Amino acid sequence: MTIHRDRVFLARGLTKIYPMGEIQVQALRGVDLELFAGEFVVLLGPSGSGKSTLLNILGGLDSPSSGAMQYGGRDLSVYDDAELTRYRREHVGFVFQFYNLIPSLTARENVALVTEIARNPLPPEEALTLVGLADRLDHFPAQLSGGEQQRVAIARAVAKRPEVLLCDEPTGALDVQTGVLVLAVIDRVNRELGTTTVVITHNAAIAAMADRVIHLSNGLIARIDHNAQRQAPHEIVW
Amino acid sequence: MRALDRKLWRELWQLKGQAIAIALVIISGVAIHIMFGATLDALRQTRARYYQDYRFADVFASLKRAPESLQARIAALPGVAEVETRVVAGVNLEVAGFTEPITGRLISIPDTREPRLNRLYLRQGRLTAADRSDEAVVSEAFAEAHRLEPGAKLRVVINGRRQTLTIVGTALSPEYIHQMRPGSIFPDYRRYGVLWMGRRALGAAYGMEGAFNDVVMGLANAHAAPKVIDELDRLLTPYGGLGAHDREDQSSHRFMTEEFRQITLSATLFPTIFLGVAVFLLNVVISRLIGMQREQIGTLKAFGYGNGAVALHYLKLVLLIVLVGVAVGVGVGAWLGQALAALYMDFFRFPFLNYRLTLPLVLSATLLNLGAAVAGTAFALRAAFALRPAEAMRPEPPVRYRATVVERLGLQRWLSQPNRMILRHIERRPLKSLLTVLGIALACGITMVGRFQEATINHMVDVHYKLSQREDLAVTFVEPTSWRAIGSLDSLPGVERVEVYRAVPVRLRFEQRSHRTTLKGVPPGGDLQRLLDADLRRLTLPSEGVVLTDYLGQLLGVQPGNRLIVEVLEGGRPVREAPVVGLVKEYLGVAGYMDLAGLNRLLREGPAISGAYLAVDDRDRPELYRRLGEIPRIAGTAIREQEIRNFHQTMEQTMLFFTFIATLFAVIIAFGVIYNSTRIALTERSRELASLRVLGFTRGEISYILLGELGLLALLAIPIGFGIGRAICAVFVNGAQSELYRIPLIIHPSTYAFAATVVLISALLSGWLARRKLDRLDLIAVLKTRD
Ligand SMILES: Nc1ncnc2c1ncn2[C@@H]1O[C@H](COP(=O)(O)OP(=O)(O)OP(=O)(O)O)[C@@H](O)[C@H]1O
Ligand SMILES: [Mg+2]
């Protein structure tokens, strides 16, 4: 089954080369990719296959070495730093494996940090309620568990109602139950807010949640699977 | 931006220890800058205003005696705007209850009007009455030293006759801002006083009715001085003129100019060094503080904060610390400046002090510090911004450690694992380690600058008064006298040895340079006055030729072998020529020396002498002083012990005050630097150290890894700091060379020891504070959050 909805991303021949002294690391070797509005995509692949690199390019954190990368019809690969910053501010929400919360700010303030510069955000409290942390508003990151921190990070990412939500191993540092909880939040955001969502994982089981599963291998897309039926997070067997 | 501002305040609070240390460094730099700057401004402005308001003369001349009618001819000289003729005389004074000899200077003031030039600032009482011959106004400094109020009596020996004067007022004069006995270089207000008496009274006492022996002039234009001086010399020579001169050779002005030069040097050098060090540290500390925030910067940028917003955020943090530091520094500096200026007020007798902070001074301190902070911030931010957010957010890639030099040399079996970690860490980050070492070394160096002078001053005193000027008393005669005077001195009670000397005021010329000084004739084989060569060995004078103080040689640009023109400024004012035959080492004052007979020959005079040095028995001093006071031929007596005390007192009052302040601030800066280095290292490595703790390392072991490294860097920094300190001292010593004194570059071991101690104690204290933090390291929190 093919999804015929608005195309959000269009990548053609993306490559990324990291110069490392004399040798060059080819992280992406020519990736062609389309992502559509509202879909839930899982990126799978062995370590070093280029998943994070691709996600970072999608999110405007990095630029490709060559190839075209369109978002909503505009070519991101020619954006300068200021344009990329605006792109991230207006359209993208990130969730990182290590949460990257600001340690000196409370949960609420970490979310506010982003909502304050967004155009049409959710109130921080609402975003935190969405991730089930209504009673942890004034806790500092050090006072939260890993799963809670990750949920704050998700609240922070979704509070600005981004068009795309990019998650790099959001459950990588979490136990099963917590991981499921976090995935449920991402799934809910995807369904309720219609946010195009890309999740990197090493856990093939999580792929069952996705509309599509993109397999990366050695800097190339090896295969794309379509799920006829998205599984609910709590049904996943790890 | 509220959340971002909250982040700012919270982080500032977390950094409070470091923020305070940074602020202290800034406060120290700024306070020194303001203290010296404001003092110097105040002294300069006060002098300028005092000179102007009290009509300080432009040209001065002394002579033997000239009829009053000559005044009109002087006034008619082109360029001369105002003339005041005076009677001036040296006297011996006696104050009840004070047994030591006091020398004074009597100066006439017009009976019926204010002086046209060198007006008196009356502090107490009134001026002398025209019809009284027993009234005098005394200099405030002298009155204060003896607690003399108007109404008190004073005995003077005028022309050998004791006479009692009643003090009617105390006053200050622009002519005696720097008030010292001629021939001395430090003030002694108890033993030297200036007195003003009515012109008629003083004229009568010295047989100067209708005549004068001193004249001062105000010029329409200061550039006319050389011409006026020439004309005046021609006019006064028949009347025994002693050579007219301008302000540059007026004793008070000249010494003040030298002092100002010294203060200017301190006011430039100290703040430059302190501010420079502060600014350097500020830059390093801030760039490291921001370097540590690279993940947060990456995160902020990932969420769409632009470079501008991020930069502003960190700038606010930095500017907050800097502005608080600058504001407090200006306050402290202004306050200290006032204290320092007050000290100088005792040294320079001004009637008032124009002390205020000037905007340029405050602005320069503010801008320098802000500039340094902003540059440090910008530098660090640029590095953070250069990284793509994806990279910045990632924890710094594991650094590639290598075997250290020590290990490659095969010495590793002597190193425990923690020691290896220390060495590898230092080698891994050579620049950071270097900056830490440099910072500590600078701090170490500046603690030496203030302190070294104390030991040096003792050395100067030892050389000058123990090796060179070894007499107990020095007496000067009113005018050159025959050798026979010795006889009368020899027979005085307690006198054990008498050595005479001849001193002639001269202007020495070589090529286009000239210097007004004294040429001294010294008898051969003298024991009380010795001349020393560069190695402080005794030097014997050849029978012909002049030997100069090394510094005077430098001023004139002469070498042994050159021929000097000697313009004698007394008697018939002959002009002679003499070869320079050597240089002598002297730290205090400058002069030329000749063999006594040789000098008499050069002057084509008989065996004349100007004074004598005496070795005396202490028990007979009171009686001796009394008897000396009665000899009319003796114009003044100087007590060596007292000269040494005056020297120390002057040095303590002025120099040691600011060296104390400088040392204090240097210590604060040193501590600030070391504490900051420790704290930054602690923050940068707390994750690593926590991980080690998790792996089973003890608190002691991780403390050792962190503090051992800092200790090693501090130890490395100390010898480098010694070198830096010595270099700064050398700059100071070079700049501080003056006619008054030359400070030799002698750094006492105690100065090194002090600097090293400051560094070590700061390191221990910082280490102890860090250790307390390490002991409370919350392993879970550190490992759970990433920053
Ligand atoms: N900054 C960099 N400099 C050099 N090489 C890099 C850099 N970032 C990534 N690489 C290399 O690019 C390749 C792809 O890296 P990437 O982080 O995209 O892998 P990944 O698929 O996310 O792996 P993982 O599952 O371990 O996170 C790897 O070989 C990696 O070593
Ligand atoms: Mg990855």
Side-chain angles (χ1 to χ4, degrees):
Chain A
M1 179 187 133
T2 338
I3 301 159
H4 288 290
R5 272 187 283 180
D6 294 342
R7 190 168 61 196
V8 182
F9 285 103
L10 173 63
R12 284 288 173 260
L14 280 190
T15 69
K16 180 70 187 180
I17 296 167
Y18 293 110
M20 287 284 291
E22 279 140 49
I23 56 154
Q24 297 193 326
V25 179
Q26 183 122 35
L28 296 178
R29 301 167 180 274
V31 170
D32 298 328
L33 181 69
E34 286 174 299
L35 294 177
F36 299 96
E39 73 170 332
F40 191 123
V41 172
V42 163
L43 272 183
L44 272 181
S47 181
S49 57
K51 304 179 297 291
S52 296
T53 305
L54 178 58
L55 196 80
N56 288 342
I57 292 174
L58 287 174
L61 288 178
D62 216 338
S63 303
S65 303
S66 71
M69 172 78 225
Q70 283 186 8
Y71 172 80
R74 290 165 181 256
D75 193 354
L76 292 186
S77 57
V78 299
Y79 274 21
D80 64 14
D81 188 65
E83 289 166 320
L84 282 177
T85 301
R86 203 170 56 232
Y87 161 68
R88 293 196 299 267
R89 179 190 286 224
E90 289 170 2
H91 304 288
V92 189
F94 285 103
V95 178
F96 305 103
Q97 182 180 358
F98 294 109
Y99 332 135
N100 286 79
L101 298 179
I102 304 289
S104 56
L105 295 180
T106 62
R108 191 208 311 258
E109 289 159 356
N110 261 288
V111 178
L113 191 66
V114 172
T115 58
E116 280 169 9
I117 58 168
R119 273 182 306 186
N120 179 26
L122 298 171
E125 295 76 12
E126 199 175 307
L128 284 164
T129 308
L130 192 68
V131 298
L133 287 178
D135 53 347
R136 293 281 193 280
L137 295 179
D138 295 319
H139 286 227
F140 284 96
Q143 299 166 322
L144 294 169
S145 75
E148 286 166 340
Q149 287 187 58
Q150 191 60 299
R151 282 187 280 157
V152 174
I154 294 170
R156 183 174 65 176
V158 301
K160 65 166 143 182
R161 302 183 212 261
E163 272 95 61
V164 270
L165 177 61
L166 304 176
C167 311
D168 194 342
E169 301 191 45
T171 59
L174 304 176
D175 66 276
V176 178
Q177 277 97 337
T178 322
V180 169
L181 218 60
V182 166
L183 288 172
V185 170
I186 295 174
D187 188 58
R188 195 170 144 207
V189 167
N190 170 257
R191 287 176 196 277
E192 291 181 7
L193 303 177
T195 311
T196 307
T197 306
V198 182
V199 175
I200 293 180
T201 180
H202 276 121
N203 189 337
I206 294 175
M209 287 174 56
D211 292 310
R212 288 198 294 159
V213 183
I214 298 173
H215 295 265
L216 269 181
S217 169
N218 202 14
L220 282 170
I221 293 182
R223 175 174 108 241
I224 300 181
D225 296 336
H226 296 255
N227 287 337
Q229 192 73 48
R230 281 169 65 174
Q231 240 173 11
H234 62 267
E235 298 166 347
I236 291 171
V237 189
W238 298 59
Chain B
M1 301 275 152
R2 273 171 306 122
L4 211 52
D5 283 338
R6 211 162 294 159
K7 168 178 182 305
L8 182 93
W9 288 112
R10 295 237 174 87
E11 284 172 6
L12 192 61
W13 180 247
Q14 273 175 3
L15 286 172
K16 59 187 176 300
Q18 264 172 284
I20 290 171
I22 296 173
L24 279 175
V25 169
I26 298 172
I27 290 170
S28 304
V30 171
I32 286 264
H33 179 72
I34 299 280
M35 174 179 90
F36 277 117
T39 301
L40 195 62
D41 275 353
L43 292 177
R44 284 206 179 116
Q45 284 180 22
T46 304
R47 181 170 83 167
R49 231 190 86 193
Y50 189 26
Y51 275 2
Q52 194 178 353
D53 292 356
Y54 288 80
R55 322 294 299 269
F56 184 48
D58 293 305
V59 173
F60 309 77
S62 295
L63 51 146
K64 245 190 143 67
R65 185 197 160 98
E68 199 52 52
S69 55
L70 198 63
Q71 182 182 341
R73 288 175 62 197
I74 296 172
L77 291 177
V80 172
E82 272 167 319
V83 182
E84 188 78 75
T85 60
R86 319 187 290 185
V87 175
V88 174
V91 284
N92 288 309
L93 303 176
E94 287 170 12
V95 175
F98 191 78
T99 54
E100 291 173 29
I102 307 172
T103 317
R105 198 161 177 79
L106 282 173
I107 299 167
S108 71
I109 45 175
D111 288 308
T112 52
R113 57 171 173 84
E114 274 228 57
R116 278 187 283 262
L117 295 163
N118 300 340
R119 289 195 174 154
L120 297 185
Y121 178 97
L122 204 57
R123 187 73 96 182
Q124 272 189 310
R126 56 170 174 84
L127 292 181
T128 49
D131 54 348
R132 300 293 298 257
S133 59
D134 61 348
E135 292 184 348
V137 172
V138 302
S139 58
E140 183 195 47
F142 181 71
E144 274 174 6
H146 288 284
R147 299 211 169 79
L148 299 172
E149 301 271 325
K153 307 272 186 221
L154 193 69
R155 306 238 283 171
V156 290
V157 185
I158 291 180
N159 262 341
R161 274 185 303 116
R162 272 211 178 70
Q163 191 182 333
T164 302
L165 295 178
T166 305
I167 295 169
V168 294
T170 65
L172 296 150
S173 159
E175 211 180 345
Y176 291 99
I177 297 173
H178 203 266
Q179 207 173 107
M180 291 173 320
R181 185 195 10 248
S184 153
I185 54 173
F186 296 104
D188 183 346
Y189 302 136
R190 279 160 83 80
R191 291 167 193 78
Y192 179 70
V194 181
L195 284 71
W196 291 272
M197 286 177 70
R199 172 71 182 270
R200 199 168 334 141
L202 202 55
Y206 283 94
M208 289 275 176
E209 293 101 337
F212 63 93
N213 67 356
D214 192 275
V215 58
V216 291
M217 279 137 286
L219 302 184
N221 166 2
H223 298 295
K227 266 195 67 95
V228 171
I229 289 170
D230 276 352
E231 299 279 339
L232 197 64
D233 277 344
R234 211 162 303 141
L235 209 58
L236 294 183
T237 304
Y239 302 99
L242 294 181
H245 57 83
D246 61 3
R247 285 182 180 180
E248 295 316 311
D249 281 320
Q250 198 266 345
S251 137
S252 161
H253 183 89
R254 181 167 170 177
F255 281 112
M256 225 182 330
T257 303
E258 284 295 342
E259 282 292 338
F260 279 20
R261 208 169 60 77
Q262 302 257 14
I263 302 170
T264 310
L265 175 77
S266 301
T268 331
L269 191 70
F270 279 80
T272 306
I273 293 166
F274 278 63
L275 218 47
V277 171
V279 154
F280 167 77
L281 294 169
L282 195 59
N283 194 301
V284 170
V285 166
I286 281 169
S287 49
R288 282 181 77 176
L289 269 180
I290 286 172
M292 281 182 331
Q293 296 245 342
R294 72 176 239 168
E295 287 179 51
Q296 295 199 25
I297 292 173
T299 308
L300 287 174
K301 289 190 66 181
F303 284 103
Y305 279 91
N307 285 351
V310 175
L312 187 69
H313 172 63
Y314 288 101
L315 269 181
K316 276 191 203 164
L317 177 78
V318 169
L319 293 189
L320 217 61
I321 300 175
V322 174
L323 286 178
V324 168
V326 169
V328 177
V330 168
V332 171
W335 178 66
L336 286 174
Q338 207 142 24
L340 183 60
L343 282 183
Y344 277 114
M345 281 292 278
D346 194 46
F347 196 57
F348 301 125
R349 307 300 301 207
F350 290 118
F352 48 79
L353 185 69
N354 268 10
Y355 183 83
R356 68 189 129 89
L357 279 187
T358 56
L359 193 60
L361 187 64
V362 174
L363 269 186
S364 61
T366 311
L367 292 181
L368 266 170
N369 279 283
L370 283 185
V374 170
T377 313
F379 183 74
L381 283 175
R382 222 184 44 172
F385 290 162
L387 297 174
R388 301 223 158 255
E391 248 173 290
M393 242 184 327
R394 210 170 294 148
E396 279 196 59
V399 287
R400 281 194 315 176
Y401 287 94
R402 317 172 280 177
T404 59
V405 178
V406 181
E407 289 169 284
R408 270 174 272 143
L409 288 174
L411 302 173
Q412 67 265 40
R413 68 205 150 94
W414 306 108
L415 292 173
S416 64
Q417 199 55 42
N419 282 332
R420 258 183 247 184
M421 289 177 72
I422 290 175
L423 285 184
R424 286 185 194 164
H425 195 263
I426 291 176
E427 262 205 40
R428 170 60 215 163
R429 304 235 139 130
L431 186 67
K432 233 179 222 182
S433 305
L434 190 75
L435 286 178
T436 305
V437 168
L438 194 59
I440 300 175
L442 279 170
C444 175
I446 56 175
T447 55
M448 293 169 57
V449 184
R451 228 179 152 277
F452 94 101
Q453 301 181 46
E454 219 175 311
T456 308
I457 285 169
N458 288 331
H459 175 79
M460 289 164 75
V461 169
D462 282 352
V463 169
H464 190 84
Y465 290 108
K466 300 214 169 115
L467 295 181
S468 187
Q469 289 299 143
R470 297 147 46 85
E471 82 283 355
D472 292 321
L473 295 184
V475 297
T476 42
F477 302 141
V478 175
E479 48 185 12
T481 322
S482 74
W483 276 77
R484 248 168 302 152
I486 307 178
S488 59
L489 289 173
D490 252 339
S491 57
L492 287 173
V495 172
E496 290 168 348
R497 193 180 163 88
V498 179
E499 284 177 20
V500 296
Y501 67 86
R502 172 83 170 98
V504 196
V506 292
R507 181 175 284 284
L508 300 179
R509 279 189 194 283
F510 181 68
E511 291 169 354
Q512 74 286 9
R513 292 174 290 275
S514 78
H515 197 85
R516 204 181 152 105
T517 182
T518 304
L519 192 54
K520 261 177 123 175
V522 186
D527 187 49
L528 299 181
Q529 150 136 334
R530 294 178 177 182
L531 298 174
L532 305 171
D533 66 11
D535 302 319
L536 303 182
R537 277 185 314 240
R538 234 177 129 167
L539 182 138
T540 24
L541 277 172
S543 60
E544 302 290 337
V546 183
V547 169
L548 298 177
T549 307
D550 46 4
Y551 186 66
L552 181 56
Q554 227 172 292
L555 286 181
L556 290 170
V558 294
Q559 295 291 331
N562 291 139
R563 289 188 76 79
L564 281 176
I565 305 219
V566 181
E567 294 176 20
V568 178
L569 299 178
E570 65 170 34
R573 309 197 42 195
V575 178
R576 306 271 193 263
E577 229 188 73
V580 175
V581 291
L583 298 173
V584 286
K585 177 102 232 147
E586 278 186 315
Y587 292 130
L588 303 180
V590 298
Y593 298 92
M594 285 187 78
D595 175 72
L596 176 56
L599 179 60
N600 289 150
R601 272 197 300 280
L602 183 79
L603 297 174
R604 304 202 185 119
E605 64 182 9
I609 55 175
S610 315
Y613 294 119
L614 312 180
V616 305
D617 186 333
D618 280 345
R619 282 165 302 182
D620 293 316
R621 277 186 193 247
E623 172 65 6
L624 178 60
Y625 293 155
R626 207 182 54 73
R627 297 278 296 276
L628 283 172
E630 286 168 354
I631 303 176
R633 198 176 2 197
I634 292 179
T637 306
I639 306 166
R640 186 188 62 143
E641 284 299 314
Q642 196 52 47
E643 297 284 309
I644 298 175
R645 267 195 293 263
N646 292 343
F647 177 82
H648 277 297
Q649 208 185 350
T650 306
M651 287 301 194
E652 268 152 31
Q653 255 172 13
T654 53
M655 193 180 255
L656 295 187
F657 171 80
F658 68 66
T659 57
F660 171 74
I661 298 288
T663 305
L664 183 70
F665 284 143
V667 170
I668 292 175
I669 289 181
F671 179 75
V673 174
I674 293 168
Y675 179 70
N676 260 307
S677 305
T678 315
R679 282 304 304 273
I680 290 175
L682 178 63
T683 317
E684 282 174 347
R685 301 185 67 192
S686 58
R687 268 186 79 74
E688 181 191 342
L689 297 175
S691 309
L692 288 174
R693 287 273 288 128
V694 172
L695 292 179
F697 278 73
T698 64
R699 291 188 170 135
E701 281 163 342
I702 61 162
S703 303
Y704 179 76
I705 289 170
L706 180 75
L707 302 178
E709 177 182 333
L710 281 161
L712 188 62
L713 294 182
L715 286 179
L716 276 175
I718 289 173
I720 301 173
F722 287 169
I724 293 175
R726 203 185 152 83
I728 302 174
C729 292
V731 172
F732 182 79
V733 157
N734 255 327
Q737 305 244 22
S738 86
E739 227 185 294
L740 300 188
Y741 50 81
R742 274 82 51 196
I743 303 172
L745 181 58
I746 290 172
I747 297 175
H748 198 260
S750 71
T751 301
Y752 289 116
F754 176 77
T757 308
V758 168
V759 169
L760 291 177
I761 288 183
S762 302
L764 285 177
L765 199 57
S766 306
W768 177 70
L769 289 170
R771 172 72 202 249
R772 282 194 355 172
K773 291 240 176 239
L774 277 178
D775 285 353
R776 281 189 271 123
L777 199 59
D778 182 345
L779 301 187
I780 295 130
V782 170
L783 295 179
K784 206 156 71 170
T785 59
R786 309 199 38 102
D787 67 328

